[in-house]
Amino acid sequence: MAQSDTVDRILDAAEELFAERGFSETSLRMITSKAKVNLAAVNYHFGSKNALIHAVFARFLTPFSATLENAFDELEARCDGEPPTLNQTLWALTESAVRMPQRNEKGISIFMRLLGLAYTQSQGHLRKFLEQEYSQPFSRFMRLLKEATPQLSAVDRYWRIQFMLGATAFTMSSSDALRDILQNKLGVETTVQEIAARLVPFLAAGMQAEDAMLVPPASKTSVA
Amino acid sequence: MAQSDTVDRILDAAEELFAERGFSETSLRMITSKAKVNLAAVNYHFGSKNALIHAVFARFLTPFSATLENAFDELEARCDGEPPTLNQTLWALTESAVRMPQRNEKGISIFMRLLGLAYTQSQGHLRKFLEQEYSQPFSRFMRLLKEATPQLSAVDRYWRIQFMLGATAFTMSSSDALRDILQNKLGVETTVQEIAARLVPFLAAGMQAEDAMLVPPASKTSVA
DNA sequence: TTGCCGATCAAACGTATGTTTCAAACAGAC
DNA sequence: GTCTGTTTGAAACATACGTTTGATCGGCAA
């Protein structure tokens, strides 16, 4: 049985519980009892709770960032010098995410929610860790976005990227619940791939919206 | 001075700290020491920490939902039978938020972040409280959205509303952090009003995007 | 004044947290 | 089998939390 099982069981349980309840709302005792390992195992194998959080992210993000780099390589090769379009770039990202080997059927949506939480819960250490560790594929994605939307100012593009991230993380993180609601209300089944297929055009349209800063149409509001 | 301003000082401190650090990461001792009141005052005046959280929301949300109802009334009156457009509906919402009387200069951004946190941190009691207490303006907003996008199928509209909600909640919930990043990277200052002014066109464009379900294309698609 | 009652205060309560300790169990090399 | 280093186990550690207690204060009516 070696050490193997313990580390992975902790990571599995932690991943799921963090996604369900957030980081500080999840105690080590919940994790170890769900993983059926001793409480001390976390500090023995990972050193601290924060280090465990980092490990949960690293286990998914490291192979994912490799997959993503390959997808970008292939895309740029296919475009042969021309910058890829926004749609192509977004599709390369979502395809990479969807195609990642999943530990279980909830895999991708769990991880989307974790990414959302990482950004939302102002856990300083997590943000710093992610930015340091995965800056390369992140900046490459940013460069592709920039080349695909040359008409946008840097500030506009920055905010619209945040909007995209929000729509994605939020939707994917609660996609299970949302799918259930839809099933009950309208009697429609939906897969994660279908959600992505609806999300990408939404994002692309928002990203390429005609310039912002419009005043409320046909209204007599003024700025002080 | 009556019951002194203990209650208000607690609410002020709690609002700010919750927005900065989240709910469970903020202790009653932080709140009472920032408010310069005794620790027991929270339980004396509010009963519990959860009740304090509810009170923080109620102090803002109750007058806000009244303002919002008025804005919707006015909008529908102005439209004279015709359903308001998507842009008008979204603007009515953001204008109502921005125009709320602020306790201080950070007022609105603090509260946006709180709303984002409420959706993100799965604090069951908070979700339940908000849904029960403010269901009326919420369903009215949903009805307006439906009338403003008759071209969408119910399923498409359902998902796109989730995307809008996600972009908004996520951005607002981390707006302080995002503003800081922008400040450091590009040396740009941003107000919440400006974020909203960028968000609304993004949402409207995404909501009205030409139909979904495209496969990763080799062609750039543009919106008519 | 006296009596009263809501508001404040310092202190303690019980519980839960992350982390540490140290002995026992284990595996593999000799 | 014996030794050696790694992994598990039960228990304790110190700290922080939300909440409760009971004494004390302060204004006001009778």
Side-chain angles (χ1 to χ4, degrees), chain B residues 20-46:
Chain B
E20 276 173 20
R21 322 175 25 99
F23 301 108
S24 39
E25 293 86 352
T26 302
S27 71
L28 292 185
R29 285 169 176 83
M30 294 178 199
I31 294 171
T32 53
S33 89
K34 175 172 184 128
K36 296 198 175 70
V37 303
N38 188 273
L39 169 62
V42 168
N43 286 279
Y44 177 76
H45 286 288
F46 297 93

Side-chain angles (χ1 to χ4, degrees), chain A residues 19-22 24-25 78 85-88 91 95 113 115-117 119-123 127 131 138 148 153-156 158-171 174-175 177-179 181-182 185-186 188 190 194-195 197-203 205-222, chain B residues 19-25 74 78 85 87-88 91 95 99 113 116-117 119-123 153-156 158-171 173-175 177-182 185-186 188 190 194-195 197-203 205-223:
Chain A
E20 276 174 21
R21 324 174 23 98
S24 39
E25 292 86 351
R78 223 179 34 236
T85 69
L86 179 58
N87 261 295
Q88 289 174 321
W91 271 112
E95 288 278 296
R113 170 143 171 91
L115 277 183
L117 287 180
Y119 252 88
T120 286
Q121 313 210 171
S122 31
Q123 304 252 56
R127 275 268 267 281
E131 282 170 12
F138 182 75
S153 73
V155 179
D156 274 334
Y158 171 87
W159 282 112
R160 292 188 181 187
I161 288 173
Q162 302 302 330
F163 303 154
M164 290 204 301
L165 192 57
T168 307
F170 181 88
T171 304
S174 40
S175 64
L178 296 179
R179 266 209 306 276
I181 295 173
L182 195 55
K185 264 195 190 158
L186 304 172
V188 181
T190 322
E194 286 169 6
I195 300 177
R198 292 176 194 278
L199 180 54
V200 169
F202 178 96
L203 299 180
M207 199 72 186
Q208 294 169 320
E210 285 303 310
D211 202 13
M213 294 308 180
L214 299 175
V215 209
S219 144
K220 49 251 171 185
T221 58
S222 59
Chain B
E20 276 173 20
R21 322 175 25 99
F23 301 108
S24 39
E25 293 86 352
E74 193 187 325
R78 222 176 40 232
T85 69
N87 261 293
Q88 288 174 321
W91 272 111
E95 287 278 296
R99 286 197 182 174
R113 169 140 170 94
L117 287 180
Y119 248 90
T120 288
Q121 314 208 173
S122 31
Q123 304 251 53
S153 73
V155 179
D156 274 333
Y158 172 86
W159 282 112
R160 292 187 180 188
I161 287 176
Q162 301 303 329
F163 303 156
M164 290 207 301
L165 196 55
T168 307
F170 181 87
T171 305
S173 79
S174 40
S175 64
L178 297 179
R179 267 213 305 280
D180 286 351
I181 294 172
L182 194 56
K185 268 196 187 153
L186 303 173
V188 181
T190 322
E194 286 168 7
I195 300 179
R198 293 175 194 281
L199 181 54
V200 169
F202 178 96
L203 299 180
M207 199 72 187
Q208 293 168 320
E210 283 304 309
D211 201 13
M213 293 307 180
L214 299 175
V215 213
S219 68
K220 183 186 287 186
T221 60
S222 58
V223 188

Side-chain angles (χ1 to χ4, degrees), chain A residues 125-160:
Chain A
H125 70 97
L126 226 185
R127 275 268 267 281
K128 218 164 283 179
F129 168 78
L130 293 177
E131 282 170 12
Q132 284 177 6
E133 218 70 17
Y134 303 100
S135 66
Q136 182 182 326
F138 182 75
S139 14
R140 187 170 179 188
F141 178 63
M142 287 302 187
R143 182 176 58 75
L144 287 172
L145 282 184
K146 181 173 179 178
E147 292 170 357
T149 58
Q151 78 279 10
L152 292 181
S153 73
V155 179
D156 274 334
R157 185 162 45 236
Y158 171 87
W159 282 112
R160 292 188 181 187

Side-chain angles (χ1 to χ4, degrees), chain B residues 129-194:
Chain B
F129 169 77
L130 293 177
E131 280 169 13
Q132 283 179 5
E133 217 70 17
Y134 304 101
S135 69
Q136 183 182 327
F138 182 75
S139 14
R140 187 169 178 189
F141 178 64
M142 286 302 187
R143 183 177 54 78
L144 288 173
L145 281 185
K146 181 173 179 179
E147 292 170 356
T149 57
Q151 78 279 11
L152 291 181
S153 73
V155 179
D156 274 333
R157 184 165 44 238
Y158 172 86
W159 282 112
R160 292 187 180 188
I161 287 176
Q162 301 303 329
F163 303 156
M164 290 207 301
L165 196 55
T168 307
F170 181 87
T171 305
M172 291 311 177
S173 79
S174 40
S175 64
D176 283 345
L178 297 179
R179 267 213 305 280
D180 286 351
I181 294 172
L182 194 56
Q183 166 72 30
N184 290 341
K185 268 196 187 153
L186 303 173
V188 181
E189 300 269 6
T190 322
T191 70
V192 178
Q193 284 83 348
E194 286 168 7

